[in-house]
Amino acid sequence: MDEALLRGLAPGVLAVLVRRGADFAAAEDAVQDALVEAVRVWPTGTPRDPKGWLVTVAWRRFLDAARSDASRRRREDLVDREPAPGPAPPVDDTLQLYFLCAHPSLSPSSAVALTLRAVGGLTTRQIAQAYLVPEATMAQRISRAKRTVSKVRLDRPGDVSTVLRVLYLVFNEGYSGDVDLAAEAVRLTRQLAASIDHPEVAGLLALMLLHHARRAARTAPDGSLVPLAEQDRARWDTGAIAEGVAILQAALARDRLGEFQAQAAIAALHADAPTAAETDWVQIVEWYDELARLTGSPVVRLNRAVAVGEADGPRAGLAALAELDATLPRHTAVAAYLHERDGDLATAVRLYAEAARKAASPAERDHLTRQAARLNARQGP
């Protein structure tokens, strides 16, 4: 049994049922029944048109369920709309399913969970483990999301930017439990890129590939964080980097710059440098300028301050940092790094320790604590 084939077909089958007028929750139940039936039947012979087979079985399961609940007229209408058995129409409904799962009426966390469930094909248990919440809590979240979108029709253009932000949220969750969310986000974004010709979709896919390429070098054997400048670049995935750069170049050539393309351009410049010392920080600052113009994000300006510190010296970086709100996440850690670069070790030690207390994760806290200890040792008694 080809589980990857079933997972790949399921979103399109679900979208077909929803487009025909099926309630989202009922449609998903019907698709799950069809998948179970496929697991039982297909080992004896996979049908020539697997998607068409799944659509037919799922629609009939939906009709069976509808007959027990709906009025006589509703039942007759649904039966009349049953398609004749045969090949599935060559229409990819997966894109519409993305738009439905990323509907603006959903909270970001609900949109992510529903996307992983309906498009990604993950179980509720897997999603709950990935987000470190009880399975019952995740089941309630997904059920509420299904109810919210059940009355949304797939007859309007979707918001690509919302879909991309949901996928980016998935990617940034990384790895937890038995689900590699970063790899899952790459897979889903590839699927989206195959469904829609949009430069920002390509930009996000390139960004994911370029970041994912550095994954093996990002942590030490003991689990501690390894800063970009200290990573073993021989461990970077050159194939993923080459693919990401090629996708980015094709997107940029269309001259419709967006924030994900700009982020990918920055990642590409890091990936292109043979060593940290050879990084083209001047170009990176220019791309951060573009990104700040596109987003207006203070977090982008914070990262720009680091790049300015590398391109023009730590005091220029500190001057750029002084223009930002000191309560920004990682502001203190950036200040510590720039003061260390400027030779003010006493201030850097104090700021590293302060940043460690504010850290969002144990790994980040441990890294900043080690930085403070390292500088303390350099200063001596």
Side-chain angles (χ1 to χ4, degrees), residues 134-317:
E135 184 174 352
T137 299
M138 184 57 69
Q140 291 176 354
R141 183 181 300 174
I142 293 173
S143 294
R144 285 195 300 269
K146 288 180 185 178
R147 288 196 298 271
T148 299
V149 301
S150 286
K151 297 181 180 179
V152 176
R153 294 189 60 82
L154 289 173
D155 57 359
R156 296 182 180 178
D159 183 2
V160 175
S161 63
T162 303
V163 174
L164 295 182
R165 291 190 189 286
V166 168
L167 290 172
Y168 194 45
L169 286 173
V170 175
F171 181 78
N172 284 333
E173 289 297 327
Y175 176 85
S176 184
D178 62 351
V179 179
D180 186 338
L181 288 179
E184 183 66 13
V186 172
R187 185 182 75 84
L188 293 176
T189 307
R190 282 190 191 280
Q191 188 180 58
L192 181 62
S195 303
I196 182 172
D197 182 19
H198 194 292
E200 271 294 81
V201 176
L204 178 59
L205 178 56
L207 176 64
M208 288 180 177
L209 289 169
L210 290 164
H211 278 309
H212 208 47
R214 302 201 299 260
R215 179 171 176 170
R218 200 169 285 140
T219 55
D222 62 0
S224 60
L225 293 178
V226 180
L228 177 61
E230 300 172 18
Q231 289 177 14
D232 179 1
R233 299 184 179 220
R235 300 184 65 195
W236 289 1
D237 184 342
T238 55
I241 290 172
E243 182 185 5
V245 169
I247 292 171
L248 173 62
Q249 288 174 339
L252 291 175
R254 301 178 65 176
D255 199 23
R256 289 170 54 195
L257 183 64
E259 60 177 291
F260 289 117
Q261 293 170 74
Q263 288 189 57
I266 293 168
L269 286 167
H270 283 298
D272 189 52
T275 66
E278 296 173 87
T279 303
D280 190 343
W281 287 105
V282 173
Q283 270 205 72
I284 288 177
V285 171
E286 292 174 355
W287 276 111
Y288 271 122
D289 288 338
E290 289 286 348
L291 190 55
R293 179 184 61 80
L294 289 165
T295 66
S297 167
V299 175
V300 169
R301 296 179 64 199
L302 181 68
N303 291 330
R304 178 186 178 277
V306 176
V308 169
E310 299 290 351
D312 301 327
R315 295 198 177 181

Side-chain angles (χ1 to χ4, degrees), residues 10-188:
V13 176
L14 176 57
V16 169
L17 267 63
V18 173
R19 180 164 54 82
R20 289 178 181 171
D23 170 85
F24 188 95
E28 194 195 28
D29 289 342
V31 172
Q32 294 303 314
D33 287 344
L35 294 175
V36 171
E37 185 69 6
V39 170
R40 186 182 71 83
V41 173
W42 286 12
T44 62
T46 303
R48 285 182 297 177
D49 180 18
K51 182 179 178 182
W53 189 97
L54 288 170
V55 168
T56 299
V57 173
W59 184 251
R60 287 174 177 169
R61 294 298 173 93
F62 167 70
L63 290 177
D64 289 342
R67 287 188 182 100
S68 66
D69 301 324
S71 66
R72 179 174 179 276
R73 177 172 295 180
R74 175 62 176 158
R75 293 200 307 267
E76 291 175 351
D77 289 343
L78 289 172
V79 171
D80 288 341
R81 285 154 57 185
E82 179 178 2
V91 177
D92 189 354
D93 297 281
T94 306
L95 178 59
Q96 294 299 319
L97 192 59
Y98 274 100
F99 291 137
L100 186 64
C101 292
H103 195 268
S105 61
L106 296 175
S107 68
S109 61
S110 294
V112 167
L114 191 59
T115 299
L116 290 173
R117 182 75 179 87
V119 185
L122 302 185
T123 66
T124 302
R125 180 186 61 81
Q126 288 174 317
I127 301 170
Q129 285 184 342
Y131 283 89
L132 305 177
V133 300
E135 184 174 352
T137 299
M138 184 57 69
Q140 291 176 354
R141 183 181 300 174
I142 293 173
S143 294
R144 285 195 300 269
K146 288 180 185 178
R147 288 196 298 271
T148 299
V149 301
S150 286
K151 297 181 180 179
V152 176
R153 294 189 60 82
L154 289 173
D155 57 359
R156 296 182 180 178
D159 183 2
V160 175
S161 63
T162 303
V163 174
L164 295 182
R165 291 190 189 286
V166 168
L167 290 172
Y168 194 45
L169 286 173
V170 175
F171 181 78
N172 284 333
E173 289 297 327
Y175 176 85
S176 184
D178 62 351
V179 179
D180 186 338
L181 288 179
E184 183 66 13
V186 172
R187 185 182 75 84
L188 293 176

Side-chain angles (χ1 to χ4, degrees), residues 341-356:
R341 289 279 318 281
D342 196 38
D344 186 352
L345 300 190
T347 300
V349 167
R350 175 178 59 80
L351 291 173
Y352 273 130
E354 181 183 341

